[in-house]
Amino acid sequence: MNVARAPLGDRPASPEPHFARISADPLADAFSGRMGAHARGGAVPVPPAELPALWDRLTATPRKSVSVAYVHIPFCENHCLFCGFYQNPWRRESGAPYVDAVLAQLAQGAETAIQQGHPLRAVYLGGGTPTALAIPDLVRLVEGLRRHLPLAPDCEITLEGRIVSFGLEKARAAFDAGVNRISLGVQSFDERVRRRLGRKSTRAETIRFLDGLMALDRGAVVIDLIYGLPGQDRATFRADVQQAATLGLDGLDLYSLKAIPGTPLLIAQDKGKLTPAAPGELGHFYADGTEEMDRAGWETISTTHWRRGTRERSVYNHEVKAGAHCLAFGAGAGGNLHGHGYRLTPDLDAYRAAGGQGGAALVAGLMRPAPLAPVHNAIKGGMERGRLEIAPVDAALAACGIAAGFDRIAAPLLEQWQQAGLMNAREGGHALTLAGRFWQVAMTARLMAWTDARAVDFTTKETSQ
Ligand code: SF4
């Protein structure tokens, strides 16, 4: 859809900051910024003096609900242009001692209440580049996870990585060790775009490797594509999605390029060396990708993720966003225990030194949950899937001691978003439109902030009448 429009900066701001612009082209204009859902939402850092006692209490309290684990491999072969997660350069000699340290952390916590008991539905080995590890280190890491964690029989075990450091021999070894899902950041198949991104493997090598992985038929294979990259236009992105849809993959993520401060991309952009897509165009890239996935008959299971067939479940991604317990392993890994977000020390030496002893010495930061954290989780879980069910949010409000229903608290905002073309009321909930799915992250952040500001106030008025 090509709609003539004024630059965003020339438009009058909405009178209510959470409201969307009413526009003929909501994919482009609904909000002026996409991000913000990663704000703390009322979570409060625990003062260092209080951290050890609270940590001991949390880890001595058994988990009784949905749980997953995250394992961080904080090394990368290079700093990808768009990435804000780069931590340490990969060196071959770093792999074995690092895996030793993670195994020491796993062994040290093996008998604790938090690590034992309730089964884990998913384990995600992310980074960084876990596939950079040598085969023996990768194998003993996965075997250690299976030995020291109470994995459910159907536990999803994901290995994230890059094609350049992988190979079918390593893939076979990973599957043999217990990995059952591989997630690869392809970003684009287009040679020109890949060169600008500094990707080392060619389009042909990438496709050949994916074909080989699929031929193994040992587990789910999912890839990421990014839209809005320098040198990419809507036609090249559409061709990327068409290419991905024909490869026999199990899952596909379509992500928007984000302007993250400090990334090589933003630095190059500030110097005028690289030009990514204009922010107002990104929604149309998303619409093109969605159209191609629909045409190819893929099923959408979140606003950014599609699957073909039944092998792909995306358990970790879904559960972690809905507030599951998440046990964290590795330097810089982030987790969640009983609603408390935490991060382990990213310093490799400090991690190695503390790993074998476990305890609070490993923890770099701990956050107390927001007062309405269960409500946030219910909102995030629904919005992520593209359909906000009211019943789970009402249940979470009630659990937080708020009797007012969510539809009453959020009605003005949800009605305005319907007028703006972002969602439609459905029996028992609200379904996001195509534009709503594109703006889901921005909407989720605003909906949580709106609920925080009004829920308590609403209840006060109700009870004082
Ligand atoms: S995209 Fe992955 S491999 Fe590239 S810098 Fe970021 S974490 Fe490292």
Side-chain angles (χ1 to χ4, degrees):
M1 176 170 36
N2 265 323
V3 180
R5 54 185 186 272
L8 294 180
D10 295 342
R11 287 153 188 260
S14 166
E16 199 339 298
H18 301 96
F19 283 3
R21 287 191 187 87
I22 303 291
S23 138
D25 188 4
L27 271 168
D29 295 349
F31 300 102
S32 49
R34 290 194 72 217
M35 297 307 138
H38 304 299
R40 286 174 188 165
V44 180
V46 175
E50 296 173 23
L51 193 152
L54 177 56
W55 181 256
D56 287 349
R57 211 161 57 241
L58 291 172
T59 54
T61 307
R63 293 170 290 108
K64 291 185 179 152
S65 55
V66 178
S67 302
V68 299
Y70 176 76
V71 185
H72 195 55
I73 311 297
F75 305 102
C76 304
E77 283 131 326
N78 61 301
H79 189 167
C80 301
L81 274 181
F82 49 83
C83 183
F85 297 103
Y86 178 88
Q87 277 182 263
N88 306 292
W90 165 248
R91 293 197 181 85
R92 194 185 297 258
E93 63 275 17
S94 306
Y98 183 75
V99 169
D100 289 343
V102 178
L103 292 173
Q105 187 198 345
L106 276 160
Q108 195 283 330
E111 304 305 325
T112 56
I114 200 70
Q115 199 167 308
Q116 284 310 313
H118 201 85
L120 303 185
R121 291 192 188 186
V123 178
Y124 193 97
L125 288 90
T129 311
T131 51
L133 294 174
I135 289 175
D137 293 325
L138 186 55
V139 166
R140 63 197 184 94
L141 176 59
V142 177
E143 288 177 349
L145 292 165
R146 295 178 64 197
R147 189 165 59 248
H148 291 302
L149 296 176
L151 306 188
D154 66 345
C155 184
E156 173 189 273
I157 304 180
T158 301
L159 175 66
E160 183 186 78
R162 291 182 59 180
I163 288 167
V164 71
S165 59
F166 212 175
L168 291 180
E169 189 192 349
K170 200 180 282 187
R172 266 191 219 96
F175 282 132
D176 285 346
V179 166
N180 52 30
R181 182 174 184 265
I182 287 177
S183 174
L184 296 169
V186 169
Q187 325 311 6
S188 173
F189 290 101
D190 186 89
E191 290 287 15
R192 215 163 47 97
V193 176
R194 290 183 68 79
R195 270 199 301 277
R196 287 200 189 184
L197 283 178
R199 305 310 268 187
K200 294 194 173 116
S201 48
T202 66
R203 171 196 181 93
E205 287 165 348
T206 302
I207 292 173
R208 201 177 316 126
F209 179 66
L210 291 173
D211 283 344
L213 264 188
M214 298 309 302
L216 292 179
D217 199 17
R218 300 285 301 278
V221 179
V222 307
I223 68 167
D224 299 347
L225 296 178
I226 295 182
Y227 53 91
L229 293 164
Q232 187 186 47
D233 58 24
R234 286 173 58 185
T236 52
F237 175 64
R238 209 180 252 277
D240 276 346
V241 179
Q242 289 168 345
Q243 175 68 75
T246 62
L247 289 175
L249 300 164
D250 300 287
L252 176 68
D253 279 295
L254 301 181
Y255 291 125
S256 170
L257 184 68
K258 298 179 187 73
I260 301 172
T263 55
L265 175 64
L266 216 67
I267 293 166
Q269 194 180 335
D270 289 346
K271 289 180 181 165
K273 290 184 178 165
L274 287 173
T275 311
E281 290 300 314
L282 293 172
H284 292 285
F285 278 83
Y286 178 79
D288 292 341
T290 299
E291 187 177 288
E292 289 305 327
M293 297 312 287
D294 285 349
R295 186 175 295 158
W298 287 52
E299 177 191 359
T300 169
I301 56 174
S302 83
T303 54
T304 56
H305 192 64
W306 284 259
R307 74 173 175 183
R308 188 188 62 90
T310 52
R311 197 167 223 171
E312 165 63 340
R313 296 181 294 153
S314 200
V315 176
Y316 176 86
N317 291 330
H318 174 70
E319 298 300 354
V320 101
K321 283 172 188 154
H325 295 284
C326 180
L327 308 181
F329 300 93
N336 181 342
L337 296 186
H338 303 290
H340 295 67
Y342 67 100
R343 187 174 186 230
L344 302 183
T345 176
D347 182 280
L348 287 171
D349 291 334
Y351 175 74
R352 277 191 214 105
Q357 299 146 37
L362 276 171
V363 182
L366 182 62
M367 306 286 289
R368 287 187 203 282
L372 295 187
V375 180
H376 295 173
N377 293 336
I379 292 173
K380 280 191 283 186
M383 293 290 282
E384 164 85 6
R385 282 194 301 274
R387 186 185 157 99
L388 182 61
E389 303 286 351
I390 298 303
V393 189
D394 280 348
L397 282 165
C400 293
I402 295 169
F406 183 62
D407 257 343
R408 290 189 68 194
I409 294 169
L413 185 58
L414 300 178
E415 283 166 20
Q416 201 274 340
W417 284 353
Q418 284 182 43
Q419 288 165 21
L422 300 177
M423 57 173 27
N424 292 311
R426 293 278 183 268
E427 181 70 34
H430 301 267
L432 299 185
T433 63
L434 176 65
R437 295 173 76 84
F438 171 70
W439 290 108
Q440 181 265 121
V441 174
M443 292 168 71
T444 301
R446 285 164 175 79
L447 191 49
M448 294 194 312
W450 174 284
T451 307
D452 284 348
R454 283 155 181 87
V456 176
D457 184 43
F458 202 99
T459 307
T460 306
K461 281 182 198 156
E462 293 269 302
T463 51
S464 63
Q465 281 168 2

